[in-house]
Amino acid sequence: MSMAQGNNYDYHRTTFDGERTERCVCLVRTMKWFPVLFIASVIGWSYYAFVIQLSFFTVTNIVQRILFLLFYHGVLVMFLWSYYQTVFTDIGRVPTRFRVPRAELDRIVRATNEEEQKQILESFAKELPVVTRTLNATVRFCDKCRLIKPDRAHHCSVCGVCVLKLDHHCPWVNNCINFTNYKYFILFLGYALLYCLYVACSTIPYMELLWTGKIDGRFHILFLFFVSIMFAISLVSLFGYHCYLVLLNRTTLESFRTPIFRYGGPDKNGFSLGKLNNFQEVFGDDWRLWFVPVYTSMGDGVVYPMRCYDEDAEALLGGEQQHNRGGTENLHDFEAATFLNEYGNLMH
């Protein structure tokens, strides 16, 4: 009788703990949207302050009012479009072929030392296009997702999965900045900076009128100026830094943790192809779509062309690809370069 009561008690406690955990998870997921709601609220308030308080209640010249509103709404549309794409674009997930089978996992668990585990992973990774390694020259394996990490992929502790070309997890968009939305993120920063600068510059003449008492005091205009300046100062450094990373073909993680290559060792510039090609890898080769928040990034997020090509792969294409450690300045065919690297990886 006592055993039955004990089992019954344990069952109910387990059920209660499960429900409590589920509620906590839901609460955490909801709280993650607070920064996004905050940004949306600031944008909504700034719209009211600029359009209603400034343009309609303060600006008296009709032509000036029309020009104010036309340019403002143009920038706002691009800003919101980029932000939406950054927030709601799905993260780049690792393909299933990188997942280590159950039988191989059992072999890794039964391995008696690290060298044996390393050999098992190397054997499985022979069929995969991966060239980066860990500090001890081992294939990069995620024990949480139980898969081989593709080049430039990392595990996001917030999302709980490995993400292709992970740059960082941004709480302001409640999403990982990664291969699939990196272009949108940079455009979001750029248009947000342009938005703040335009709003601040538009309110400067009326700040003087408010200060001298020539127009009635309007709290929203005064506050709009200081808020836009504050956000602009924050954005200019972040936007500049990511423009710098794009031109070097480097992620935030790679700038702090140098990628280690199977051949050549650590190299921060291992993925750099020259400034133009680096830019096109993120923004695409159609200049008409560079500043439009639509997907134009090149590649699949799994395989990346590199500065230094393997000699066997180079010979496959008849030596047409020149070995250039200074950068590949004339990389016009991204798909050919990607194939070249993948073939070279599989040859070893």
Side-chain angles (χ1 to χ4, degrees):
M1 185 70 178
S2 60
M3 183 179 297
Q5 289 176 347
N7 291 338
N8 189 47
Y9 169 77
D10 289 340
Y11 168 78
H12 285 295
R13 183 175 61 182
T14 302
T15 303
F16 174 75
D17 289 343
E19 292 176 351
R20 184 172 59 181
T21 301
E22 186 176 352
R23 286 196 298 269
C24 290
V25 170
C26 291
L27 179 61
V28 170
R29 287 178 179 175
T30 302
M31 291 180 64
K32 288 179 181 178
W33 285 101
F34 284 0
V36 177
L37 293 176
F38 173 76
I39 294 295
S41 300
V42 171
I43 296 173
W45 167 80
S46 68
Y47 184 87
Y48 166 78
F50 188 91
V51 174
I52 306 300
Q53 291 290 326
L54 179 64
S55 299
F56 283 105
F57 290 170
T58 306
V59 177
T60 55
N61 187 292
I62 301 299
V63 176
Q64 184 180 7
R65 181 185 300 170
I66 292 174
L67 292 176
F68 265 32
L69 293 175
L70 281 177
F71 190 81
Y72 172 82
H73 283 92
V75 175
L76 178 65
V77 167
M78 299 304 292
F79 172 31
L80 292 178
W81 188 3
S82 302
Y83 188 55
Y84 178 89
Q85 292 283 64
T86 306
V87 173
F88 294 104
T89 297
D90 291 335
I91 60 176
R93 295 180 181 271
V94 177
T96 55
R97 62 181 171 138
F98 287 84
R99 191 171 298 280
V100 179
R102 182 69 184 181
E104 297 295 323
L105 290 173
D106 291 340
R107 288 182 59 199
I108 294 173
V109 172
R110 292 196 302 267
T112 56
N113 54 62
E114 290 186 4
E115 185 62 29
E116 187 177 348
Q117 293 177 339
K118 177 181 177 180
Q119 292 176 358
I120 295 172
L121 291 175
E122 285 285 356
S123 177
F124 178 74
K126 281 184 178 180
E127 304 299 324
L128 301 173
V130 291
V131 296
T132 52
R133 295 294 187 267
T134 62
L135 284 172
N136 59 356
T138 305
V139 173
R140 299 192 313 130
F141 173 73
C142 178
D143 55 357
K144 298 181 179 65
C145 298
R146 299 180 179 179
L147 51 78
I148 303 295
K149 296 179 184 177
D151 296 335
R152 314 187 82 174
H154 295 274
H155 186 87
C156 175
S157 58
V158 179
C159 296
V161 295
C162 284
V163 183
L164 297 177
K165 195 183 177 184
L166 176 65
D167 188 271
H168 68 284
H169 186 94
C170 180
W172 298 106
V173 301
N174 190 29
N175 203 357
C176 279
I177 306 305
N178 66 107
F179 174 77
T180 60
N181 67 354
Y182 192 45
K183 175 189 175 182
Y184 305 144
F185 177 69
I186 296 174
L187 290 179
F188 157 62
L189 294 179
Y191 285 123
L193 177 59
L194 180 61
Y195 178 86
C196 292
L197 291 176
Y198 176 70
V199 168
C201 291
S202 299
T203 55
I204 286 177
Y206 301 96
M207 288 290 295
E208 183 181 356
L209 295 176
L210 282 170
W211 185 263
T212 57
K214 294 180 179 179
I215 60 175
D216 294 335
R218 298 191 185 279
F219 165 77
H220 289 282
I221 298 176
L222 183 66
F223 198 55
L224 180 65
F225 173 78
F226 287 108
V227 169
S228 60
I229 288 295
M230 179 184 67
F231 276 100
I233 293 173
S234 301
L235 287 166
V236 68
S237 57
L238 186 59
F239 177 63
Y241 178 65
H242 278 281
C243 288
Y244 167 79
L245 291 179
V246 167
L247 294 179
L248 294 181
N249 204 335
R250 193 182 298 168
T251 66
T252 300
L253 287 175
E254 289 167 353
S255 66
F256 290 99
R257 191 188 313 164
T258 303
I260 302 172
F261 293 87
R262 182 180 182 185
Y263 303 106
D267 186 1
K268 274 193 174 184
N269 298 315
F271 294 107
S272 181
L273 310 171
K275 289 182 173 57
L276 176 60
N277 292 308
N278 293 341
F279 179 86
Q280 289 181 338
E281 187 171 313
V282 176
F283 287 86
D285 54 2
D286 188 350
W287 63 270
R288 295 168 297 183
L289 299 176
W290 281 351
F291 306 111
V292 181
V294 295
Y295 185 81
T296 56
S297 298
M298 305 180 75
D300 58 2
V302 175
V303 181
Y304 295 89
M306 293 172 293
R307 296 195 302 150
C308 304
Y309 299 130
D310 182 85
E311 292 179 0
D312 293 338
E314 185 176 330
L316 176 69
L317 296 185
E320 293 181 4
Q321 298 288 343
Q322 296 298 321
H323 187 74
N324 181 3
R325 287 193 176 269
T328 307
E329 298 297 339
N330 297 311
L331 184 63
H332 297 296
D333 192 344
F334 190 94
E335 287 75 18
T338 301
F339 168 76
L340 180 66
N341 284 305
E342 183 164 359
Y343 177 84
N345 299 337
L346 295 179
M347 288 292 291
H348 291 275

